Amino acid sequence: MDVARKSVSAGASARMDSALNQSMMQLLDHVEYRLITGGEDLEAIYRLRYNSYRRSGMCGPIAGGMFEDRWDNLPNSYRFGVYFDGHLVSTLRLHHLTREHPYSPSVDAYPEILAERLARGETFIDGTRFATDPDLAPAPGVLPFLTLRICMVAYCYFRQTAMFIPIKLEHSAFYARFFSAKQMTEGKSFPGVIPPLALFEISGNEENFHRILDRLPFFRSTPMEQRLMFGNPAINRLTPLSIVPTAKFFRAAA
């Protein structure tokens, strides 16, 4: 009986994944990623952060209605806006952490996890300041996938030891299911936000890397897309660099 239940459950999960992949591939035709370093687009993602965080109770009132912090302009920082049919729908910031550039909010918040490993030469991606505008979502539940695809492009480019994401514990099931994320800390104070966040690690080993991409092929990307996103932070560029998702071209480019 248990074997039968597991088989039915696995079949249902596979059908859900197939429907998700088909839907996401279609949605990506309308998506544009922008690597943002200045100008009006930068103000727009700061406003989106603030509005999203205020709505969810992540932060209190901020004069000017924009949420930015001292980690935004670091040389190892990448700020992205996700645009659907030309409208900003979400934003995410990544820091590429190395022994030479060990700077990010998670390093400050969880030194007991990150400091020693960075000193040993491990490398990480730190994903923070994830914010969405649900009123502009093209369909329920898709914005996390459209946005976190940026993390998988970073995986393909940097091949880092692991990715770290500080999140509310109520979101842990999503990251565990799709990324095999493991909880590394209890919820604790995190810079700039009100609720406690726990640090979750997504392993960068080849087995986990390929498992995620095989299960969710819309996370795939060509080397050209990877280079456009992460080849040069160009922190002083005023005009954002626009990048079109390349998942549907991956098979032809491989």
Side-chain angles (χ1 to χ4, degrees):
M1 184 66 72
D2 288 342
V3 173
R5 283 201 202 96
K6 289 180 180 178
S7 177
V8 170
S9 177
S13 180
R15 287 192 295 274
M16 290 176 62
D17 286 352
S18 177
L20 173 64
N21 284 320
Q22 291 178 10
S23 174
M24 294 303 302
M25 283 294 192
Q26 293 172 353
L27 290 174
L28 284 180
D29 286 337
H30 301 265
V31 169
E32 170 193 345
Y33 296 108
R34 295 184 192 173
L35 176 60
I36 296 173
T37 60
E40 293 181 358
D41 284 301
L42 187 57
E43 293 184 0
I45 67 170
Y46 290 162
R47 284 194 294 269
L48 174 55
R49 280 185 196 170
Y50 176 70
N51 292 333
S52 175
Y53 285 9
R54 281 289 286 156
R55 183 171 52 241
S56 61
M58 289 282 285
C59 74
I62 299 175
M66 291 192 289
F67 188 110
E68 57 182 308
D69 61 40
R70 64 186 178 89
W71 296 279
D72 273 314
N73 290 301
L74 295 177
N76 64 329
S77 171
Y78 300 79
R79 292 163 297 191
F80 288 96
V82 182
Y83 292 76
F84 191 88
D85 285 341
H87 299 288
L88 177 64
V89 295
S90 65
T91 181
L92 179 70
R93 183 184 65 195
L94 302 182
H95 285 89
H96 181 221
L97 299 174
T98 65
R99 184 158 46 197
E100 295 72 29
H101 294 281
Y103 311 115
S104 80
S106 291
V107 173
D108 286 1
Y110 313 102
E112 72 279 13
I113 301 295
L114 293 170
E116 183 178 344
R117 293 176 64 178
L118 283 167
R120 290 201 303 262
E122 295 186 50
T123 61
F124 307 112
I125 293 293
D126 182 23
T128 57
R129 304 316 187 210
F130 177 25
T132 66
D133 185 344
D135 294 334
L136 293 178
V142 301
L143 290 184
F145 292 107
L146 292 177
T147 311
L148 294 172
R149 183 177 175 274
I150 298 169
C151 297
M152 294 309 300
V153 179
Y155 246 156
C156 294
Y157 184 78
F158 291 112
R159 294 303 176 102
Q160 70 280 351
T161 307
M163 175 172 292
F164 286 100
I165 301 182
I167 60 173
K168 295 180 180 178
L169 284 173
E170 56 260 40
H171 297 156
S172 61
F174 171 86
Y175 289 92
R177 176 183 177 189
F178 291 104
F179 298 96
S180 298
K182 298 185 183 301
Q183 184 176 346
M184 304 301 292
T185 71
E186 297 299 319
K188 61 185 294 188
S189 177
F190 191 84
V193 298
I194 295 172
L197 302 183
L199 188 67
F200 280 73
E201 178 176 353
I202 301 170
S203 172
N205 66 47
E206 289 293 313
E207 181 181 358
N208 193 46
F209 177 78
H210 288 296
R211 184 195 66 79
I212 295 170
L213 294 181
D214 288 345
R215 181 181 181 185
L216 303 172
F218 60 85
F219 278 154
R220 294 184 180 274
S221 58
T222 63
M224 178 177 290
E225 182 183 0
Q226 296 159 24
R227 287 192 299 271
L228 287 172
M229 279 196 176
F230 298 104
N232 180 6
I235 201 69
N236 294 316
R237 185 193 294 118
L238 293 179
T239 304
L241 176 63
S242 297
I243 303 131
V244 175
T246 59
K248 68 179 180 181
F249 303 119
F250 180 84
R251 190 178 301 277

